[in-house]
Amino acid sequence: MIRETFKMAVGWVDDRLGLSATLGPMLRHLVPHDARWWYVFGSATLCAFMIQVVSGVALAFAYSPSATDAYPTLQFITHDAPFGNFLRGLHYFGASAMVLMVGLHMAQVFLFGSYKFPREMNWMTGVLLLGFVLLMGFTGQLLRWDQTAVWSVVVAAEQAGRIPLIGEWVARFTLGGQTLGGATLNRFFAIHVFIVPALTFAFIGLHLLLVLRHGVAEPPKVGEPVDPRTYRANYQALLKKSGRPFWPDAAWRDVVFCVGMIAAVALLALVFGPPELGKPPDPSIIEANPRPDWYLLWYFAVLALLPHGTEKVFMVFGPLTVGLLLILLPFLAPSGERSPLRRPWAVVGILLTVTVIGALWVVGRKSPWSPNFSPEPLTAKIVGATSGPVFVGAQLFQEKSCIDCHLVEGIGGRRGPDLTYIADNLKRSDMIIRIVNGGVNMPSYGATLKPGELENLVAFLETRTKH
Ligand code: HEC
């Protein structure tokens, strides 16, 4: 009796909503029979996105995006709220999983040549989705609202400010004003929880519709190049001959992988927990060691390693070129062989990308901060002299690039310690030792300074006291 009623109720809902009529054919659409484990990364990305949506909404219940409340509410989430620490961990490792899966998915599609005719738009929407994922990572970091988070964004804004023509505007838009503050946080929050997720949902929808429209690309075979005139007919014939319904013949792998990934993310969240919150942001403290999360770290390393003067060009043309190349890839190679065995350059490209990003990542972990390669000059007021050893020393401080790594009253770079009040902490003899010998991340100047230059430099540094 109860079973009968239940069945009727389910049947009624299904009929009125037309669920199985619409979703059924989608789920049972035919896929090539040999599309196996290689094909799970796309659905895994979607799965990671779902982790992010669920954990993100849960975090938003308690998080307050205001400059005064963000830090305390995060402390509350981390230490007091039930499962709060676990949730933050989920969201953190979920983000990593998503970046990783997007990367694997892209690499697989690229290696298999699946971006070729007729799936060009699948690839292009995918590249946009990659951009959204990175944007989510970048904006999400600031919401942590601790020293590291804040300084990472300051660096990024500083970099953006150097883009010719539109740099000022980009920096001001990013920060929501001239400096980083409450307005920046509100802005990043809106981007992180409304704009980009909405765009992501929309483009995932489109991406999936395109997958249904063109079908899942069959694994490539050597000697079977894509010919736009015959491809579609061949593909249909292949499906007719040996295709399998997506559900359940192929989908079980996606389900297994997705469940495994969720378990791994949950385990990491339990064992390692979220990244620790640093000190609350304080623009006057620069002892922080700002490093963006791992998937953005390599890019900071690029900026840190670029030779003097090329940064500006790179900032604009680097990402633009890579983005354009990626988007246009299907038009650069729309047909022909798909098998990686016949496309050695594709394999080399993937290996090279992985190696370069890996190497940059290692460098990025070591270099906490990029020297500031185009610091403003010290003003006469800061120097406090217009001639004599102190003045000459201040000139040298700039000529010898000390200022690239050291701040003096807010001007300069942040790779080394702030030297604004160095004379209060360091004896004359210790200054000389440091300059001559260098230190961790500081070059030694003993061999490059002419006689007298060292004296002048020290004379300048000796004026740097609070009194
Ligand atoms: C590539 C970046 C870089 C450059 C260029 C550089 N420094 Fe440094 N400097 C550092 C770092 C990093 C430290 C910390 C070294 C350590 O802890 O061993 C440091 C330490 C110092 C210290 C000691 C500060 C303290 O609180 O103990 C002094 C003084 C100093 N630098 C002066 C100079 C002068 C003068 C120049 C130019 C001639 C210069 N630096 C150039 C990175 C740099």
Side-chain angles (χ1 to χ4, degrees):
M1 176 62 195
I2 295 177
R3 254 179 86 185
E4 292 289 293
T5 323
F6 182 69
K7 254 182 134 171
M8 257 172 64
V10 170
W12 184 89
V13 172
D14 184 39
D15 175 72
R16 299 307 191 273
L17 286 177
L19 282 180
S20 47
T22 353
L23 292 181
M26 284 191 188
L27 281 174
R28 283 192 300 274
H29 78 276
L30 293 182
V31 297
H33 74 284
D34 45 0
R36 291 184 207 274
W37 289 101
W38 276 108
Y39 285 66
V40 298
F41 301 124
S43 65
T45 311
L46 182 59
C47 182
F49 181 60
M50 287 303 144
I51 301 181
Q52 293 311 84
V53 172
V54 173
S55 58
V57 169
L59 286 173
F61 272 28
Y63 178 77
S64 163
S66 93
T68 45
D69 295 347
Y71 196 76
T73 54
L74 266 177
Q75 291 289 353
F76 168 76
I77 292 174
T78 312
H79 301 298
D80 300 319
F83 304 113
N85 200 48
F86 177 63
L87 266 181
R88 275 196 62 216
L90 271 189
H91 205 61
Y92 175 71
F93 287 107
S96 298
M98 195 166 171
V99 173
L100 207 63
M101 291 306 138
V102 164
L104 287 171
H105 181 47
M106 261 184 110
Q108 181 266 322
V109 166
F110 177 68
L111 274 180
F112 279 25
S114 308
Y115 58 84
K116 291 177 189 286
F117 177 91
R119 302 185 180 83
E120 298 95 334
M121 291 285 257
N122 299 38
W123 173 266
M124 291 160 84
T125 49
V127 174
L128 282 181
L129 282 165
L130 170 74
F132 296 156
V133 170
L134 294 179
L135 195 57
M136 284 304 269
F138 177 65
T139 50
Q141 263 169 54
L142 181 79
L143 303 188
R144 230 178 274 147
W145 203 243
D146 59 2
Q147 287 251 354
T148 305
V150 167
W151 279 110
S152 297
V153 173
V154 172
V155 183
E158 214 173 72
Q159 299 290 354
R162 296 194 204 157
I163 304 175
L165 299 179
I166 55 164
E168 274 286 300
W169 181 85
V170 173
R172 212 163 348 110
F173 178 81
T174 313
L175 295 181
Q178 291 298 346
T179 52
L180 186 133
T184 322
L185 183 54
N186 282 336
R187 188 158 285 207
F188 273 51
F189 185 71
I191 296 174
H192 189 80
V193 305
F194 299 121
I195 300 178
V196 187
L199 283 170
T200 309
F201 269 113
F203 274 87
I204 287 179
L206 180 57
H207 198 67
L208 291 182
L209 278 181
L210 291 173
V211 170
L212 287 174
R213 175 167 165 74
H214 300 297
V216 176
E218 74 283 12
K221 291 203 183 65
V222 174
E224 286 183 15
V226 172
D227 180 348
R229 282 166 306 180
T230 55
Y231 181 82
R232 280 199 162 116
N234 289 347
Y235 182 72
Q236 289 309 328
L238 179 85
L239 286 190
K240 216 168 184 179
K241 197 175 86 198
S242 60
R244 299 272 193 284
F246 172 68
W247 182 271
D249 287 46
W252 70 267
R253 288 193 189 83
D254 297 277
V255 174
V256 168
F257 194 83
C258 172
V259 170
M261 192 187 67
I262 294 179
V265 167
L267 195 70
L268 287 168
L270 271 180
V271 176
F272 295 105
E276 256 175 65
L277 292 174
K279 296 199 190 83
D282 174 355
S284 64
I285 305 177
I286 34 249
E287 61 179 51
N289 179 7
R291 281 212 208 106
D293 287 343
W294 64 269
Y295 41 86
L296 296 173
L297 187 61
W298 63 274
Y299 185 66
F300 272 51
V302 174
L303 298 179
L305 290 176
L306 283 171
H308 188 93
T310 58
E311 270 177 326
K312 242 186 194 164
V313 182
F314 182 87
M315 275 295 302
V316 192
F317 291 105
L320 208 68
T321 318
V322 173
L324 269 180
L325 272 180
L326 277 178
I327 286 266
L328 294 179
L329 174 73
F331 302 106
L332 300 177
S335 56
E337 284 279 355
R338 285 180 54 211
S339 168
L341 296 173
R342 289 285 167 87
R343 293 162 55 234
W345 284 113
V347 181
V348 171
I350 291 278
L351 289 179
L352 212 65
T353 310
V354 172
T355 323
V356 167
I357 289 190
L360 284 170
W361 183 73
V362 171
V363 173
R365 279 183 65 88
K366 285 196 194 131
S367 69
W369 196 281
S370 147
N372 180 355
F373 289 115
S374 48
E376 287 167 45
L378 293 172
T379 60
K381 189 165 154 280
I382 295 178
V383 175
T386 46
S387 63
V390 172
F391 176 73
V392 177
Q395 297 303 107
L396 282 168
F397 191 81
Q398 303 177 66
E399 279 164 30
K400 299 288 175 188
S401 313
C402 313
I403 198 166
D404 289 8
C405 295
H406 292 290
L407 280 179
V408 175
E409 295 197 18
I411 292 184
R414 298 190 168 87
R415 185 162 177 147
D418 188 340
L419 297 184
T420 306
Y421 301 122
I422 185 63
D424 292 341
N425 305 328
L426 221 56
K427 292 200 306 271
R428 180 185 163 83
S429 54
D430 290 331
M431 290 182 193
I432 294 176
I433 291 172
R434 174 63 70 222
I435 298 172
V436 170
N437 294 326
V440 180
N441 284 327
M442 168 160 166
S444 62
Y445 282 86
T448 50
L449 290 175
K450 292 196 199 68
E453 287 185 333
L454 186 61
E455 272 75 5
N456 290 333
L457 265 174
V458 172
F460 167 62
L461 290 181
E462 280 189 309
T463 64
R464 302 308 322 170
T465 77
K466 269 207 174 88
H467 324 291

